[in-house]
Amino acid sequence: MKVGLFGHVGAGKSTLLRALAGGGDAPAKGQAAGVCTIKVPDERVDRLAGIFHPKKTTHVSITFQEIGPGEGELLPPETLAGIKGVEVLAIVLRGFADDFHPEPPGGLNPVKEFRSIESELTLSDYLVAQKRIERMTKEARRDIEWTSLHKAIAHLEKEIPLRKVSFSAEESRALAGFRFGSRLPLTLVLNVGEGDLSAEAYPELSSVAADRGVPLVRLSAKIEEEISQLSPSEQADFLRELGIRRAARDRLVRGAFEAMDFICFLTVGEDEVRAWNVQRGTNAVSAAGKIHSDLEKGFIRAEVIRYEDFLRCGTMAKAKTEGKLRLEGRDYVVQDGDILHVRFNV
Ligand SMILES: Nc1nc2c(ncn2[C@@H]2O[C@H](COP(=O)(O)OP(=O)(O)OP(=O)(O)O)[C@@H](O)[C@H]2O)c(=O)[nH]1
Ligand SMILES: [Mg+2]
């Protein structure tokens, strides 16, 4: 999964990226946009690896990429190009000020900042759709792309981001090539000052996030960067001292998962213990296809056991005698924490 860190100049994107990368060098101001790939922390994978001692253990991985800045009337082409390459946007909003970074004229206003970014994305999509419609009109094309674009532009005109519009599978396919920015799932990141970590600074932003149905992560990028440079045990102590329950990395990953509506299922064995991410509602046969196309083509059944049930039983054999190992068909909807073993025949 690829997450774009997007936001206004100086919101703290690079600082956050360094925190996610666990220290090290990230691009300085004005240099090429930085990227970092991290393993999604998952205790279930670690515990299963402890039981199966596999040759290989694989976590889900997420790539974070800095995109930006997004300031001004229109998004510059290089910013748009960055947005097109990601699956989720994490919008970093500035909520801190100190001696070196004084408040801008008019004061800090993360809600306003978010609204302006949202309308930039919507406007940019509007222009793309409009241009394409003009072209299609000249060519007298009236296909599914044409009707889908009209549906899109009717909402964009009212400044409704495409994220909020439900398109049929056919319409989605017709629009996929445009990679509209306002269609991307969002997570908001409020970068607060060190003193605002415990208090709920900018409560209005919580209402806006709830209203939009997008996750909101509150953090101090600067503190998180400092934490990321400590040893794991020091990190735990420091987090406890500051009253932070989880490091930014965990919370941002969660936010991205929530925005994408992703769940994780697991596969186990002597060769590999692995976590896989799929969209909630994915059926067993599509989940099998994520592992390997042969498993989808030759799918017979999936043996499924809940992670918790397996831990309680300790072995697959015991789980079977206790009736915890189920046989499921192609249409079974995979749940978060399912351990899957696909029976197939090709
Ligand atoms: N006090 C404080 N300063 C911060 C925090 N986060 C970032 N800064 C500072 O704000 C400045 C800008 O941060 P960056 O991370 O470079 O911001 P950016 O969003 O990458 O900025 P551009 O790449 O120029 O768009 C740096 O000097 C940071 O040290 C924070 O949580 N608290
Ligand atoms: Mg930067």
Side-chain angles (χ1 to χ4, degrees), residues 216-280:
L216 167 64
V217 178
R218 293 166 180 277
L219 49 79
S220 161
K222 200 169 164 188
I223 296 258
E224 294 289 346
E225 186 189 5
E226 286 168 21
I227 295 172
S228 72
Q229 281 155 9
L230 302 172
S231 71
S233 67
E234 286 173 325
Q235 286 192 12
D237 290 345
F238 198 30
L239 286 172
R240 207 170 313 116
E241 238 168 70
L242 289 165
I244 305 174
R245 266 197 295 169
R246 281 171 180 281
R249 170 190 275 235
D250 294 15
R251 289 155 66 216
L252 213 58
V253 165
R254 245 172 221 229
F257 261 67
E258 202 181 315
M260 290 292 280
D261 208 13
F262 271 157
I263 58 150
C264 276
F265 71 89
L266 305 143
T267 52
V268 296
E270 283 165 18
D271 284 337
E272 189 180 27
V273 164
R274 179 161 179 173
W276 307 81
N277 59 305
V278 286
Q279 205 113 38
R280 191 184 305 279

Side-chain angles (χ1 to χ4, degrees), residues 36-257:
C36 102
T37 298
I38 63 166
K39 282 195 295 191
V40 173
D42 191 336
E43 195 197 78
R44 298 171 299 189
V45 177
D46 307 329
R47 291 191 70 171
L48 290 170
I51 296 170
F52 286 90
H53 305 291
K55 292 187 196 116
K56 199 173 157 198
T57 303
T58 314
H59 290 75
V60 170
S61 71
I62 297 193
T63 299
F64 291 92
Q65 177 176 357
E66 180 173 355
I67 309 170
E71 203 156 39
E73 293 279 296
L74 270 179
L75 297 171
E78 60 275 19
T79 303
L80 279 176
I83 288 174
K84 283 178 200 290
V86 303
E87 291 154 274
V88 188
L89 281 181
I91 299 189
V92 183
L93 303 165
R94 183 175 164 202
F96 67 88
D98 57 25
D99 292 346
F100 302 104
H101 311 92
E103 289 193 13
L108 290 167
N109 193 338
V111 171
K112 194 170 151 207
E113 214 167 282
F114 170 51
R115 291 221 169 96
S116 94
I117 289 173
E118 202 176 38
S119 61
E120 273 177 64
L121 290 170
T122 312
L123 177 61
S124 144
D125 288 352
Y126 173 82
L127 294 174
V128 170
Q130 192 194 38
K131 202 165 151 198
R132 180 70 183 151
I133 286 176
E134 271 171 23
R135 175 108 183 255
M136 293 181 88
T137 307
K138 273 194 210 133
E139 294 169 356
R141 269 182 62 183
R142 298 288 184 276
D143 51 13
I144 177 84
E145 187 183 325
W146 161 267
T147 50
S148 308
L149 280 170
H150 270 86
K151 179 170 168 180
I153 212 160
H155 290 90
L156 292 167
E157 262 165 5
K158 290 184 225 143
E159 288 207 41
I160 299 171
L162 297 179
R163 191 166 24 92
K164 289 280 188 195
V165 186
S166 70
F167 291 101
S168 69
E170 214 188 353
E171 289 170 335
S172 292
R173 263 196 302 279
L175 295 179
F178 295 100
R179 298 204 145 244
F180 290 121
S182 78
R183 240 192 127 185
L184 287 174
L186 294 185
T187 178
L188 299 183
V189 179
L190 177 63
N191 185 10
V192 293
E194 294 80 301
D196 279 333
L197 271 175
S198 42
E200 193 189 295
Y202 310 102
E204 16 5 318
L205 190 64
S206 302
S207 327
V208 173
D211 175 59
R212 301 286 204 285
V214 301
L216 167 64
V217 178
R218 293 166 180 277
L219 49 79
S220 161
K222 200 169 164 188
I223 296 258
E224 294 289 346
E225 186 189 5
E226 286 168 21
I227 295 172
S228 72
Q229 281 155 9
L230 302 172
S231 71
S233 67
E234 286 173 325
Q235 286 192 12
D237 290 345
F238 198 30
L239 286 172
R240 207 170 313 116
E241 238 168 70
L242 289 165
I244 305 174
R245 266 197 295 169
R246 281 171 180 281
R249 170 190 275 235
D250 294 15
R251 289 155 66 216
L252 213 58
V253 165
R254 245 172 221 229
F257 261 67

